[in-house]
Amino acid sequence: MGRRTLEILTESMFYVLMSLLKADRCGTEMADWVNARTRGRVRLGPGTLYTILAKFEEETLIREVAVAGRRRTYTLTEEGRRRYEEELARLRACLSDAEEEAP
Amino acid sequence: MRDRVRKLVYVEPQDMDHFEGWLEDMARRGLHWEGQGPLFVRFRRGEPAPVRYRLEPRGSLRGRESQEYCRSMGWEYLGGIGRYFDLYRNEDARAPELHTDPVVRACGLERTARAMKRLCLVLSLLVLAFLAMVLVPLFLMSFPVETFLTGSALTFCALVMEFVAIASSIRAVAAFFAIRRRLREGVASRRDGSWRWVAGWNTALMSLAAVLLLLCVWSLTVSLEGGWEGALDGAAEPYPILALQEVEGDPTLEPVPDALSAEVLGYDWDNSVRYHCYPLLSEKYEVEQRLTDGGDYEPDLNMEWYRLSLPLLAAPLMDELVYRYTEHNYFPEEFTVEELDLPGFDRAVLATDNQWPGQRLFLQAGRVVIYLDYAGRGDLTAHPQLLEELAGWRK
């Protein structure tokens, strides 16, 4: 199921990858960033956030780079960046189709 | 009023939505989850409140950072539930859900799903092993009907009880996979009052299992204690008998004393009666008679008399007795077997010994099945009135 789940990233997954594009962050920083970036539209509950991190780490989309106290900081891997770009292209294609079909 | 209340685990944690719904309903009634054992959940009385309870796969949020994030959002870790889950509670109705993405939640249940598949496999193997334990010996036995009537009924009862006991586990595991499938499709969890339906179903199953357990105990007690044996003339209770003197038409015939059995058993085995009862065989008598005219002639008549609890087993038992005493370990030419038309009987089969003077008569009348093994010069079928009285005998 692991691979199948990640074939299409959900909105939460997509924003977690996005949060790591320009900076390495720990879990709570990612949650705060996503909340701010989407103006509160996407909120990451603790269960969702840490399940995503565990899954992404297992699938090598992210990698832990530092542990300071209880904070674990993650960075995006090449595979994670490639997966993000792939999803972005898919979303752009969706949007483009929608715009072309717009009345 | 007591501060704490114990309730049976009406809904299994594997059935996550219903379990969470149950705890939330209890909280709305002022009963707040406090702890859980294998059979009971402990609730603490308090103010009714719209508290949210959520199950998470065991250990998935145990990191210090994730625990801190949970607490910051009002999610309090309560403890482990069963083998697979941790329980969280949130009293703040405005706080975000523990899971804000159903697909991700489904993803987090992967490890639990694998463990449950292993559990299903083990349960299936156990059921198959138990089934084989019960059924294989039965099919390997030469006389499965009598074996079933006199012993296997207890095992079957236990088998049904086991099926009932695991039925709720199977339902809960099926519910878990249904929830996971819905989550993967992006459908959020539902926590409505439908846990009551599950609780009712589980209560009915538990009650049935309790009844079957009592039935097993009763069956065992009856099988172990419900019997007696002794000499024909000194039997403690009445018993059915076709008197050999009447078959022979000679009231002067006397029992042949068997000194050895009298010394070992305390009664004459050749002129004795044994009684047993079982849940599916309410009465079974074995009556032995051996007489003598004082000279060389020593006729004997042995009888097995069955009254079955289930009439539908009478015909299979009759077939089995005919096979057992005319075919099993016998040459085909030893007996001439014929169906008789005897008044008062559903079926009568006579096997006449082709070499020695003797007959084997098999009778079935309703729930009563009789096997008579006679060695002598008389004719069992010449006494239809006696046979009818024998079949109609009651204590």
Side-chain angles (χ1 to χ4, degrees):
Chain A
M1 180 194 156
R3 289 284 172 194
R4 248 172 56 195
T5 307
L6 298 182
E7 271 171 20
I8 295 177
L9 299 178
T10 65
E11 195 174 38
S12 315
M13 293 173 180
F14 184 68
Y15 273 107
V16 167
L17 289 182
M18 195 193 292
S19 72
L20 294 173
L21 280 176
K22 293 179 181 167
D24 297 344
R25 298 180 203 275
C26 72
T28 48
E29 287 170 345
M30 289 180 220
D32 290 342
W33 186 89
V34 171
N35 190 30
R37 188 75 188 79
T38 62
R39 295 173 199 85
R41 186 175 59 79
V42 177
R43 295 191 74 179
L44 298 174
T48 295
L49 173 64
Y50 288 97
T51 303
I52 290 175
L53 293 183
K55 191 71 195 167
F56 280 1
E57 203 175 6
E58 185 188 317
E59 301 286 330
T60 63
L61 302 187
I62 61 171
R63 180 166 42 86
E64 190 180 280
V65 286
V67 180
R70 59 186 56 130
R71 287 162 48 117
R72 291 172 179 274
T73 304
Y74 296 90
T75 192
L76 204 57
T77 62
E78 280 309 307
E79 173 67 11
R81 194 171 293 277
R82 188 193 63 75
R83 193 69 193 80
Y84 172 80
E85 297 293 345
E86 203 176 278
E87 184 64 16
L88 189 61
R90 192 185 69 82
L91 290 172
R92 278 187 179 132
C94 284
L95 197 61
S96 162
D97 291 343
E99 279 169 355
E100 280 175 26
E101 287 299 318
Chain B
M1 194 182 287
R2 285 181 305 165
D3 278 351
R4 283 169 174 72
V5 177
R6 275 172 187 268
K7 284 187 181 288
L8 272 172
V9 180
Y10 289 126
V11 185
E12 299 86 348
Q14 293 96 313
D15 187 355
M16 298 162 66
D17 291 0
H18 286 131
F19 185 80
E20 292 168 357
W22 175 43
L23 297 190
E24 290 180 1
D25 248 20
M26 291 294 107
R28 279 193 285 274
R29 296 179 200 180
L31 294 175
H32 300 275
W33 188 94
E34 191 179 64
Q36 180 152 352
L39 284 177
F40 293 96
V41 177
R42 292 189 308 280
F43 291 98
R44 174 181 43 79
R45 283 191 196 281
E47 288 300 312
V51 177
R52 279 180 290 169
Y53 286 93
R54 295 294 176 263
L55 289 166
E56 265 293 293
R58 171 149 291 184
S60 62
L61 294 176
R62 292 274 183 86
R64 285 198 297 167
E65 185 185 327
S66 51
Q67 279 296 307
E68 190 172 274
Y69 188 40
C70 284
R71 277 194 297 274
S72 73
M73 292 196 156
W75 288 101
E76 177 193 358
Y77 170 67
L78 298 178
I81 297 275
R83 294 172 58 192
Y84 305 114
F85 298 102
D86 289 330
L87 185 63
Y88 288 81
R89 169 171 57 197
N90 198 325
E91 295 178 3
D92 180 1
R94 290 167 305 166
E97 270 291 338
L98 196 62
H99 270 282
T100 46
D101 186 335
V103 178
V104 173
R105 192 181 190 199
C107 188
L109 292 173
E110 263 178 47
R111 199 158 42 96
T112 314
R114 280 199 296 273
M116 282 202 202
K117 279 178 186 164
R118 283 197 295 273
L119 174 74
C120 284
L121 185 68
V122 170
L123 277 179
S124 308
L125 289 176
L126 277 177
V127 169
L128 285 176
F130 197 41
L131 209 58
M133 250 166 55
V134 173
L135 294 179
V136 169
L138 206 60
F139 286 114
L140 293 178
M141 295 259 176
S142 302
F143 316 115
V145 181
E146 178 146 8
T147 308
F148 176 67
L149 289 171
T150 56
S152 298
L154 179 68
T155 327
F156 267 83
C157 207
L159 182 69
V160 175
M161 198 177 79
E162 192 202 300
F163 280 133
V164 167
I166 65 165
S168 60
S169 299
I170 290 170
R171 193 211 59 75
V173 170
F176 170 83
F177 283 104
I179 290 167
R180 183 164 156 262
R181 193 172 54 247
R182 282 201 304 271
L183 290 170
R184 279 163 64 173
E185 289 163 2
V187 180
S189 291
R190 291 192 306 262
R191 297 166 194 92
D192 48 25
S194 58
W195 66 266
R196 288 186 185 83
W197 181 89
V198 177
W201 164 259
N202 281 346
T203 307
L205 281 179
M206 277 190 269
S207 308
L208 185 58
V211 168
L212 285 167
L213 181 65
L214 289 175
L215 206 60
C216 279
V217 173
W218 171 76
S219 165
L220 191 65
T221 313
V222 165
S223 303
L224 291 177
E225 294 179 358
W228 53 264
E229 59 186 56
L232 289 179
D233 52 3
E237 293 183 35
Y239 55 89
I241 187 167
L242 176 65
L244 185 52
Q245 285 101 335
E246 293 192 61
V247 173
E248 291 291 324
D250 183 355
T252 63
L253 293 173
E254 291 289 330
V256 180
D258 177 13
L260 182 62
S261 66
E263 191 182 323
V264 174
L265 300 171
Y267 61 87
D268 176 8
W269 175 265
D270 286 341
N271 292 279
S272 65
V273 54
R274 288 177 298 285
Y275 165 77
H276 292 284
C277 73
Y278 307 90
L280 294 180
L281 183 56
S282 54
E283 293 169 70
K284 180 187 177 186
Y285 294 92
E286 292 168 89
V287 179
E288 319 268 341
Q289 299 175 76
R290 190 169 181 205
L291 304 178
T292 178
D293 61 357
D296 291 339
Y297 185 55
E298 289 185 359
D300 64 60
L301 177 60
N302 301 324
M303 178 180 76
E304 291 175 18
W305 194 100
Y306 303 84
R307 190 193 303 281
L308 291 98
S309 306
L310 297 174
L312 60 96
L313 292 172
L317 177 63
M318 175 81 175
D319 289 338
E320 185 176 283
L321 288 173
V322 172
Y323 161 76
R324 180 176 185 170
Y325 293 115
T326 63
E327 292 179 42
H328 183 70
N329 288 341
Y330 292 101
F331 292 111
E333 63 273 16
E334 276 185 83
F335 292 99
T336 301
V337 180
E338 57 186 317
E339 295 278 339
L340 299 181
D341 189 14
L342 281 182
F345 290 95
D346 299 321
R347 193 177 169 209
V349 176
L350 178 68
T352 308
D353 196 317
N354 292 328
Q355 197 172 1
W356 308 100
Q359 294 173 314
R360 292 180 175 189
L361 184 59
F362 306 86
L363 303 165
Q364 186 210 331
R367 292 190 296 152
V368 173
V369 176
I370 303 166
Y371 161 59
L372 293 158
D373 178 13
Y374 170 61
R377 291 191 292 248
D379 179 6
L380 290 174
T381 60
H383 309 277
Q385 183 64 32
L386 292 178
L387 294 176
E388 208 172 334
E389 284 171 18
L390 183 67
W393 180 87
R394 285 190 176 277
K395 271 185 191 172

